[in-house]
Amino acid sequence: MAGAALGAAGRLAVRGARAYAGGAEGRAQRIAALLGATENQRLVFALLRAARPNLALQRKLIAAYENTGTVIVTRHADVTEVLERESDFAVVYEPKMRAITDGENFFLGMQDSPAYTRDVSNMRLAVRRSDVPEIVIPHVATQAEAIVAAAGGRIDVPATLTLPVLTGLLGQYFGTPGPSGPVMADWTTRMFWYLFVDLAGEEKVTRAALEAASACRAWLDAAIAARKAQPSGTDQVLDRCLALQAAGVPGMDDLGIRNNLIGLLIGLVPTLSKASVKALDTLLDRPEALAAAQAAARADDDAALAAVLWEALRFDPVNPFIYRRAVRETVIARGTLRARRVPAGAMVLVANLSAMFDPIAHDRPKEFRPGRGAEAYILWGYGMHTCFGAHINQAVIPQLLKPLLRRAGLRRAGPVDGAGTPFPVHFPVTFDAA
Ligand code: HEM
């Protein structure tokens, strides 16, 4: 670990010096870009894991949620400890969740409570694990293949493939297509950005999200009323929610249904699109890994394809850390040399990216080695709030990318471009049209 830390320090010093030396103009942006790149974050974490595994700072790195300072947690054992200790390290999203719903909290913003159990249980009855093979996979596979087949050898991955298929799933499976696919992609992206990504609490991000939330609430309210007035005879998530309501299930009045649906729609669209783009981008930088993914895709071996994709996402996950706030003063890693006192109110940045590269927890983590087993990955949370859509993610990402990976001559035709947002908006690739 010490050797890896020294190597990381050397590489960071060279890159940092380059960013600094390019002149005062644009220096802050160059340094921000340096630290924003996942590859450099991995180096910073390698250094921290060895030198300061649980780093406490008086500085508030997150301004969007109230806190008293920051603790950065980097070792696998401590990352999982914090996420397991739900009563000491609480989720912080409640005020923003309430702003999005214009009232109630959503279950990701709740600590363990009767309301949390009620809402998760209700939504598990409406979004069933058996839907994944029966509805989700066939829909995504068919749509993705049709889009790639019609693309003529060039495709803009988020704009033409991932976002249209995912917003299509909202219509087909959830029964909530919104006014159009692009509008649903825009609304869910703006709300996700505000809730989880905008750590600085920027006014323009807040305004855009709250406008989207208001429009999305109005659309969902009307859709729920219309479906109740005139049942469609379908078996979509919305129909199942209304069936629970008709059975008198608590928490499933119209507002409860709308708020739970908003939370799921936000969780589904921007994340799955970004994860698919990141996985593909990582593979295109690694010829051997790309070849393994292509072989699995051509053999229709979804398990082997997923194993390569999870490994790609380990190198560049959608979120490199998860954050919690200390409910009271406490200690992380008690009884070890790295034990760290955490003041009440401190924001704890739990670096899942770092945990997945911890050599104490994983065999040769710097090697790209598919098939490590599920425990090696913290790609969509850990503990009580582990992603509600985990099984959907595992099915959808391979199905979105399989048609592209089957094609010969797959190449990058431009960079991943967020167009000023933290989400991929453009990523052109080309392939040999059949
Ligand atoms: C690759 C795609 C996805 C990624 C990377 C992702 C990431 C995450 C992460 C990191 C968490 C935990 C947040 C925390 O602990 O603070 C989470 C929770 C959650 N996700 Fe996802 N997610 C994805 C897809 C989905 C999908 C498809 C849905 C909806 C069907 C969804 C709905 C949720 C919900 C409702 C929670 C809260 C669970 C709870 O509080 O018990 N996500 N997700």
Side-chain angles (χ1 to χ4, degrees):
M1 195 184 283
L6 279 177
R11 261 174 289 162
L12 275 173
V14 172
R15 289 175 196 181
R18 261 192 233 128
Y20 189 83
E25 201 183 321
R27 181 176 287 151
Q29 288 92 322
R30 286 197 302 279
I31 291 176
L34 180 87
L35 291 175
T38 315
E39 194 195 343
N40 295 325
Q41 291 170 357
R42 289 203 304 269
L43 296 176
V44 172
F45 287 139
L47 201 56
L48 287 179
R49 276 195 306 273
R52 283 275 191 285
N54 295 314
L55 175 68
L57 303 168
Q58 295 209 319
R59 214 171 140 205
K60 299 178 190 175
L61 293 185
I62 295 187
Y65 292 102
E66 247 178 67
N67 64 93
T68 58
T70 314
V71 176
I72 302 174
V73 178
T74 59
R75 295 250 185 112
H76 186 275
D78 304 339
V79 163
T80 52
E81 178 189 328
V82 170
L83 293 173
E84 277 163 359
R85 289 174 55 192
E86 193 269 339
S87 66
D88 289 328
F89 299 104
V91 282
V92 297
Y93 317 114
E94 178 170 356
K96 290 195 180 189
M97 292 293 185
R98 288 187 185 277
I100 291 287
T101 64
D102 195 26
E104 291 304 310
N105 199 354
F106 171 72
F107 62 84
L108 176 50
M110 297 178 194
Q111 279 198 270
D112 192 12
S113 58
Y116 176 84
T117 303
R118 181 197 64 195
D119 288 354
V120 175
S121 308
N122 288 346
M123 295 322 286
R124 289 256 175 245
L125 289 173
V127 178
R128 301 172 196 150
R129 204 159 156 179
S130 55
D131 296 339
V132 171
E134 289 165 14
I135 303 170
V136 177
I137 290 182
H139 178 79
V140 174
T142 312
Q143 298 299 312
E145 175 55 37
I147 289 171
V148 172
R154 184 184 173 96
I155 200 163
D156 187 358
V157 179
T160 319
L161 176 63
T162 55
L163 289 171
V165 174
L166 293 167
T167 52
L169 193 62
L170 298 188
Q172 189 74 20
Y173 174 43
F174 279 78
T176 54
S180 73
V183 168
M184 283 311 253
D186 180 51
W187 284 350
T188 52
T189 300
R190 287 202 256 158
M191 291 189 278
F192 190 97
W193 186 356
Y194 161 72
L195 278 166
F196 306 111
V197 188
D198 175 30
L199 304 184
E202 279 186 48
E203 163 63 25
K204 71 173 191 328
V205 175
T206 303
R207 204 175 336 107
L210 296 185
E211 279 167 20
S214 168
C216 189
R217 287 195 307 267
W219 190 91
L220 283 169
D221 287 341
I224 291 167
R227 187 71 62 101
K228 253 171 92 169
Q230 199 164 20
S232 58
T234 48
D235 183 29
Q236 295 172 320
V237 173
L238 177 55
D239 303 308
R240 295 170 183 174
C241 288
L242 289 170
L244 291 171
Q245 179 181 86
V249 171
M252 293 305 268
D253 55 8
D254 288 0
L255 274 184
I257 294 176
R258 180 251 265 169
N259 294 339
N260 277 308
L261 286 178
I262 283 201
L264 298 194
L265 305 186
I266 295 172
L268 189 144
V269 176
T271 47
L272 276 170
S273 176
K274 187 167 183 171
S276 306
V277 167
K278 274 179 171 280
L280 182 61
D281 190 34
T282 303
L283 291 181
L284 288 169
D285 285 339
R286 290 178 163 74
E288 266 182 48
L290 178 63
Q294 288 175 315
R298 287 170 194 149
D300 224 356
D301 185 343
D302 288 350
L305 176 56
V308 183
L309 295 174
W310 305 158
E311 189 65 353
L313 284 172
R314 188 172 69 87
F315 280 80
D316 193 10
V318 169
N319 56 305
F321 58 82
I322 295 164
Y323 42 99
R324 294 287 187 266
R325 190 167 44 216
V327 172
R328 59 185 68 83
E329 181 177 312
T330 185
V331 174
I332 298 172
R334 188 183 292 280
T336 69
L337 289 174
R338 60 180 197 282
R340 168 69 56 195
R341 191 185 71 83
V342 181
M347 197 61 92
V348 185
L349 305 190
V350 190
N352 51 303
L353 170 64
S354 178
M356 292 191 287
F357 280 82
D358 182 349
I360 295 174
H362 309 292
D363 188 23
R364 297 179 190 275
K366 284 199 283 184
E367 288 179 12
F368 192 104
R369 202 195 282 179
R372 288 177 181 273
E375 287 73 25
Y377 300 97
I378 309 181
L379 295 174
W380 21 80
Y382 184 88
M384 187 180 111
H385 289 286
T386 297
C387 183
F388 179 89
H391 294 103
I392 297 181
N393 306 343
Q394 284 163 22
V396 165
I397 299 167
Q399 297 304 327
L400 279 171
L401 294 178
K402 192 157 65 169
L404 273 180
L405 291 166
R406 274 194 181 134
R407 270 41 184 202
L410 182 63
R411 290 178 297 279
R412 189 192 297 280
V416 176
D417 173 11
T421 79
F423 299 89
V425 173
H426 299 295
F427 181 33
V429 298
T430 56
F431 51 90
D432 302 343

